[in-house]
Amino acid sequence: MSLLIALGLGLGLASPEAMPGPHHVDLSAKSFRTWKVELPTDAFRPVGDGIALPVDLGGLYKVEVLADGLMLDTDGDGVVDQKIVGTLDKVTGERTARATLQKMGAEGSGPAYPIRLQNLGKGWTWACGGAQVGTQGDTKLAVFDANGNGRFNDVGEDAITVGSGDIAMLLGKTVYVGGHLHNLTVAADGSSLELVPFDGPTGTLNLESKMDSKGKLLSALVVSEDGQQCFDLAGASAGLALPTGTYHLHRGRLGLGNATVQIDGTDMKPMVVEAGSSQQVAWGSPVRAEFDYQREGSQITFQPDQVWLTGAAGERYLGWSPIGKSPEFSIVERNLGTEIEKALFPGSC
């Protein structure tokens, strides 16, 4: 585990485009052969006896689990018709696979619905394997059925990417496209979306200018308390004008070279955005390290998952990749302060 506490900022916003609205954007299904998208929530759910979509979108796609994979009903007729083996990682023992379900419409076969499958040792799980994709001007838009119910318009549950980045935001009622804030409406079947210029009250929130860090802020997703808005403030060096409301840091990520670390904002104070206001959040360094230990007689044990790093605003840093160098623990005599022993996690923690 690395104790490089401060990581940092960067990413510029796209140049504003002249975008008089409203705009209608047609979307079409796209399957991702190589999945690079970072969804804002864990999209995987247990397969069980089948993959369930609403009845009007195919209903239950039956699954039979095998020793080396599974059998899948891909057309929703109740009969398994495809064996899924996937790819086995011989080091981790994890197996991953792809498949395509045929969604059913009023006239029979409907749009394809690509899925990802994985077995990490505790049974098969599944998640969406594609998105509904379109463009507005030069800006690519991709909407993901992140909650796996076959529909693409669930605000606060589904997800969206804007531009060429791979970090998705929760689907909100508004979105920035071409440097302009718009009201956003997505068709339930994912066939299109509508953008209408936002004319409500806004205030500016800035997560970059007062962050004490040496690296780059790769993402900083803030979500409104009512779950209706979500924005990524990474790269907004001057802040971003958001619809008024109370926001929380949903998750973030910092990077330094090839190293990254996740940010958990659960214990950060709410950020209240008032009309016409402008606020900057001081976070990052100094960072406080806390840890727990177990003692049995004269033996003291430290665990990597019981070391916590907390930043200036209460944010926690976790999920280091690569895990990196171990912290050093010093055990001292309470009264004299004399060092008795030093401890390190073996190899990489």
Side-chain angles (χ1 to χ4, degrees), residues 56-105:
D56 58 333
L57 297 176
L60 182 69
Y61 294 82
K62 187 178 179 181
V63 170
E64 294 178 1
V65 177
L66 308 174
D68 60 346
L70 50 81
M71 293 294 297
L72 175 63
D73 166 22
T74 61
D75 56 12
D77 65 357
V79 179
V80 295
D81 52 54
Q82 183 177 347
K83 183 176 181 179
I84 306 294
V85 176
T87 302
L88 176 65
D89 186 320
K90 294 182 179 180
V91 176
T92 64
E94 298 173 356
R95 191 180 291 273
T96 57
R98 297 296 180 87
T100 300
L101 305 179
Q102 197 66 39
K103 293 168 66 176
M104 307 302 290

Side-chain angles (χ1 to χ4, degrees), residues 24-28 132 143 185-194:
H24 174 89
V25 180
D26 290 322
L27 305 175
S28 58
Q132 295 296 116
V143 182
T185 304
V186 179
D189 63 0
S191 61
S192 65
L193 61 81
E194 305 290 333

Side-chain angles (χ1 to χ4, degrees), residues 254-279:
L254 293 170
L256 181 62
N258 293 324
T260 62
V261 63
Q262 302 291 333
I263 309 172
D264 179 3
T266 302
D267 294 328
M268 293 179 67
K269 292 181 179 179
M271 297 165 281
V272 180
V273 175
E274 299 178 339
S277 68
S278 180
Q279 65 170 301

Side-chain angles (χ1 to χ4, degrees), residues 75-347:
D75 56 12
D77 65 357
V79 179
V80 295
D81 52 54
Q82 183 177 347
K83 183 176 181 179
I84 306 294
V85 176
T87 302
L88 176 65
D89 186 320
K90 294 182 179 180
V91 176
T92 64
E94 298 173 356
R95 191 180 291 273
T96 57
R98 297 296 180 87
T100 300
L101 305 179
Q102 197 66 39
K103 293 168 66 176
M104 307 302 290
E107 299 179 357
S109 295
Y113 187 84
I115 62 172
R116 293 171 290 150
L117 293 153
Q118 67 178 25
N119 188 337
L120 307 183
K122 295 183 179 180
W124 284 95
T125 58
W126 75 278
C128 64
Q132 295 296 116
V133 178
T135 58
Q136 168 55 43
D138 294 329
T139 303
K140 177 183 174 182
L141 301 166
V143 182
F144 301 82
D145 176 28
N147 64 1
N149 69 356
R151 297 187 170 88
F152 294 83
N153 64 340
D154 295 315
V155 171
E157 297 183 34
D158 287 331
I160 184 171
T161 58
V162 179
S164 59
D166 293 323
I167 298 176
M169 300 173 288
L170 288 169
L171 186 68
K173 287 189 172 181
T174 60
V175 67
Y176 268 94
V177 178
H180 297 270
L181 183 61
H182 293 81
N183 291 309
L184 170 66
T185 304
V186 179
D189 63 0
S191 61
S192 65
L193 61 81
E194 305 290 333
L195 297 169
V196 177
F198 181 80
D199 60 0
T202 63
T204 300
L205 181 60
N206 190 329
L207 293 184
E208 290 215 352
S209 61
K210 286 192 174 181
M211 184 172 195
D212 189 353
S213 177
K214 291 182 180 179
K216 187 175 187 179
L217 188 61
L218 303 177
S219 67
L221 302 185
V222 296
V223 178
S224 62
E225 198 165 62
D226 61 7
Q228 303 298 292
Q229 314 286 353
C230 181
F231 300 93
D232 190 347
L233 298 189
S237 58
L240 204 60
L242 309 183
T244 55
T246 300
Y247 290 82
H248 301 266
L249 182 72
H250 178 69
R251 66 186 295 180
R253 185 153 58 93
L254 293 170
L256 181 62
N258 293 324
T260 62
V261 63
Q262 302 291 333
I263 309 172
D264 179 3
T266 302
D267 294 328
M268 293 179 67
K269 292 181 179 179
M271 297 165 281
V272 180
V273 175
E274 299 178 339
S277 68
S278 180
Q279 65 170 301
Q280 301 168 320
V281 177
W283 59 323
S285 293
V287 173
R288 182 178 71 255
E290 299 175 287
F291 62 92
D292 199 359
Y293 64 92
Q294 292 77 43
R295 181 170 184 171
E296 294 184 9
S298 61
Q299 183 175 7
I300 297 176
T301 304
F302 303 97
Q303 300 289 346
D305 60 355
Q306 294 179 340
V307 178
W308 301 278
L309 304 175
T310 305
E315 76 278 12
R316 284 196 167 182
Y317 298 89
L318 65 163
W320 298 80
S321 178
I323 297 175
K325 186 179 179 181
S326 169
E328 182 177 271
F329 301 91
S330 293
I331 303 172
V332 300
E333 202 282 328
R334 182 191 297 266
N335 296 321
L336 300 177
T338 305
E339 185 176 81
I340 300 173
E341 187 65 79
K342 285 184 178 180
L344 294 170
F345 294 127

